[in-house]
Amino acid sequence: MSEKKGFIAEVKSETGVNVNRCYQCGKCSAGCALNESMDYPPSVVMRMLQTNSAENVSKVLRSQAIWLCVSCQNCLTRCPMQVDIPQLMDYLRVQALAKKTVNKKSKKIVAFHRAFLDSIKYTGRLYEVGLVAGYKARTFDLLQDLNVAPRMLIKGKLPLLPEMVKGKKQLKKFFR
Amino acid sequence: MEIGFYPGCSLNGTSSEYAQSTLALAKAFGVTPVEVSDWNCCGATAAHNLNHELAAALPARVLALAQQQGFSEILVPCAACYNRLSVTQHTLSGNEALQSDISEALQMPLSGNLRILNVMQFIEKYIAKEIPQKIVKPLTRKVACYYGCLLVRPHDVLQFDRTEDPQSMDTLMAAIGATPIDWGYKTECCGAGFSVSRTDVVAKLSGKIVQDAVERGAEAIIVACPMCQSNLDMRRPHIDSYLKMKTTIPVMYVTQAIGLAVGLSRKELGLEKLFVTAKHVA
């Protein structure tokens, strides 16, 4: 297997992560909180990438696993080879977005992240009411949290008006 | 004494009791946290999941603002903000090209060494020593100290406490008369940002945490992260239906627990804002 080309090389140059350092001990998968819900556990994702085959790379970029990773950093903490899997996952997610291969079952996760960034884009700070409205508009998940919101409101946990950051223009160019 | 203060979005809204109790506690010990003016969101999970440059730019602006406003130290109680700010500081210091790109785009200098303190580091540095003489109502309860992910990982960057069995919160709880229990979920993930998009995942992960705490005899779970708190507290109906049992263990912030012990009122500490009431334990 060549490190000089293909996806392995791309990952290495973009993130500094060398997927070939993984020797398949499986500690990442053993400690992964989301393992049971993933289609491929982290160590399997690593092995698939190590093959450097276009078919396996495509499977990874279409997987649910990359979106279910919550970046809890347990895998990196326990990895005897210090392979930065959370950073790799960030890269894989951005690639899946760019190649439009986002896993169908993960669309709600992506919708939430997008609604979150939209909210910051317009105000500079997170505006929860706007976030949930944006999320619902993207997912048609209209019933989500209808029972929680009133209690949050009563307890003063849900500001109704957004706060505007004066310098938000400085950040504008980073949103795409 | 004044110190910079970055509340972040959660403390401004869904976790306002964390801001309230942190500020009340600081005041009781003669410390005044001064909010970094015009701060923006740190980007949280969404930014680093979808857009790497943005994930660095958002925290970078906060760090630059704090320095511009003359702070050498900032208190960041939210574990997620603390993590994003610290990771960004670390990334930028090791990547000159990225640092100058972002600095240019923001039109702000990005250098210097601002110290970022999480809530435990803040308490250890400015409050802990005086706790013993200020205790009026020891919290004589068994507590499960829950640190979650973002306070302790990645260790290479944060350099805070131990990754598998951290002790800082346990030590603080012992100092106010509580008995921290030994348990297995101190640094397991609660499901974090999946609260809305995958509530089922949060119910399961947070459910295991609540279950272990209850089974080992804890009477309260103590936290230092708004995401952990809201998942374990506001998502309790989902947790209980996952566990197929009714649980009543409250989830308090470390600042609320210490505040109670030094005689601050329930109102000052925002205890009435918890979904799962803490009345039966404190």
Side-chain angles (χ1 to χ4, degrees):
Chain A
M1 143 184 26
S2 164
E3 274 184 44
K4 293 196 176 106
K5 51 184 181 181
F7 198 69
I8 294 179
E10 183 188 315
V11 168
K12 179 87 200 303
S13 78
E14 293 294 322
T15 67
V17 177
N18 182 355
V19 299
N20 281 337
R21 280 175 63 83
C22 167
Y23 56 63
Q24 291 291 305
C25 71
K27 278 188 96 162
C28 50
S29 297
C32 179
L34 273 299
N35 185 344
E36 288 169 38
S37 310
M38 286 178 173
D39 38 9
Y40 310 116
S43 53
V44 175
V45 168
M46 294 306 293
R47 187 70 197 114
M48 289 164 83
L49 295 180
Q50 282 176 337
T51 65
N52 217 6
S53 84
E55 193 194 339
N56 280 335
V57 170
S58 158
K59 277 185 190 164
V60 168
L61 293 182
R62 285 168 201 279
S63 71
Q64 211 179 348
I66 60 175
W67 295 103
L68 281 173
C69 163
V70 270
S71 309
C72 79
Q73 311 269 340
N74 220 350
C75 51
L76 169 61
T77 305
R78 292 177 183 171
C79 176
M81 296 304 284
Q82 281 135 37
V83 178
D84 196 337
I85 300 179
Q87 205 195 333
L88 173 69
M89 291 292 186
D90 271 348
Y91 182 71
L92 297 173
R93 286 185 276 254
V94 172
Q95 288 307 302
L97 282 173
K99 294 188 163 77
K100 299 194 171 23
T101 59
V102 174
N103 179 280
K104 282 203 179 67
K105 288 181 192 157
S106 309
K107 295 241 155 112
K108 281 188 182 178
I109 295 173
V110 181
F112 182 81
H113 292 330
R114 285 211 163 115
F116 190 105
L117 292 188
D118 275 355
S119 171
I120 313 173
K121 182 177 172 181
Y122 299 126
T123 60
R125 291 181 190 170
L126 180 65
Y127 169 49
E128 284 99 349
V129 174
L131 164 67
V132 172
Y135 174 75
K136 290 187 178 192
R138 286 170 188 276
T139 58
F140 298 105
D141 221 346
L142 301 178
L143 297 176
Q144 172 80 31
D145 288 333
L146 276 189
N147 50 346
V148 187
R151 275 190 85 189
M152 290 178 71
L153 204 60
I154 291 166
K155 287 176 181 285
K157 283 170 166 268
L158 208 56
L160 288 178
L161 294 172
E163 290 182 357
M164 292 290 175
V165 173
K166 289 189 210 101
K168 64 177 183 172
K169 272 188 191 149
Q170 288 172 297
L171 293 162
K172 208 174 171 186
K173 45 188 100 58
F174 293 100
F175 286 94
R176 358 175 195 95
Chain B
M1 216 274 319
E2 287 189 352
I3 182 173
F5 177 50
Y6 175 66
C9 306
S10 291
L11 273 75
N12 243 13
T14 49
S15 307
S16 54
E17 72 272 29
Y18 193 19
Q20 225 175 308
S21 56
T22 301
L23 295 175
L25 186 67
K27 191 178 164 203
F29 285 80
V31 184
T32 311
V34 178
E35 198 165 311
V36 174
S37 180
D38 204 43
W39 58 266
N40 54 269
C41 172
C42 75
T45 311
H48 74 82
N49 267 215
L50 303 188
N51 180 339
H52 300 163
E53 267 204 345
L54 182 67
L58 290 165
R61 180 172 179 272
V62 175
L63 297 172
L65 279 176
Q67 280 176 316
Q68 217 172 49
Q69 293 163 26
F71 297 113
S72 58
E73 231 174 19
I74 49 168
L75 161 62
V76 186
C78 169
C81 298
Y82 161 72
N83 193 291
R84 291 317 306 160
L85 261 54
S86 304
V87 167
T88 300
Q89 192 179 49
H90 181 85
T91 308
L92 294 180
S93 74
N95 188 339
E96 272 180 39
L98 183 65
Q99 177 161 351
S100 70
D101 280 358
I102 291 181
S103 172
E104 199 174 310
L106 291 176
Q107 296 284 304
M108 292 170 104
L110 278 179
S111 53
N113 37 8
L114 183 71
R115 251 183 76 86
I116 304 164
L117 298 181
N118 65 40
V119 80
M120 247 87 76
Q121 290 169 321
F122 169 71
I123 295 170
E124 280 167 2
K125 188 167 176 183
Y126 294 107
I127 287 177
K129 242 188 257 166
E130 289 177 47
I131 287 177
Q133 62 256 35
K134 289 214 179 192
I135 290 184
V136 292
K137 197 179 148 208
L139 184 75
T140 50
R141 297 283 177 182
K142 283 188 176 175
V143 296
C145 293
Y146 176 55
Y147 298 73
C149 312
L150 299 167
L151 275 176
V152 293
R153 296 191 292 261
H155 182 75
D156 282 352
V157 176
L158 304 175
Q159 301 284 329
F160 171 67
D161 214 328
R162 313 197 307 206
T163 51
E164 299 286 350
D165 184 19
Q167 295 295 321
S168 49
M169 206 192 299
D170 293 65
T171 308
L172 290 173
M173 288 303 103
I176 58 166
T179 308
I181 60 156
D182 262 334
W183 65 309
Y185 284 79
K186 267 185 169 178
T187 61
E188 287 296 313
C189 180
C190 68
F194 286 160
S195 186
V196 173
S197 56
R198 287 297 301 266
T199 316
D200 61 319
V201 166
V202 167
K204 185 172 161 185
L205 300 189
S206 290
K208 288 178 182 175
I209 293 162
V210 169
Q211 184 178 26
D212 193 46
V214 169
E215 280 175 359
R216 296 193 195 226
E219 297 167 275
I221 298 175
I222 312 296
V223 297
C225 170
M227 267 204 294
C228 299
Q229 202 281 339
S230 59
N231 280 341
L232 297 177
D233 181 53
M234 282 199 269
R235 291 302 184 201
R236 192 61 63 86
H238 293 88
I239 289 172
D240 284 354
S241 78
Y242 167 76
L243 293 176
K244 297 191 178 70
M245 64 174 180
K246 171 97 180 119
T247 55
T248 56
I249 188 169
V251 187
M252 280 192 281
Y253 287 104
V254 61
T255 43
Q256 291 177 316
I258 299 175
L260 281 171
V262 300
L264 298 176
S265 72
R266 299 175 59 85
K267 200 171 177 207
E268 283 173 287
L269 298 167
L271 271 156
E272 77 283 1
K273 290 186 180 177
L274 303 181
F275 273 44
V276 180
T277 178
K279 274 193 185 134
H280 54 297
V281 296

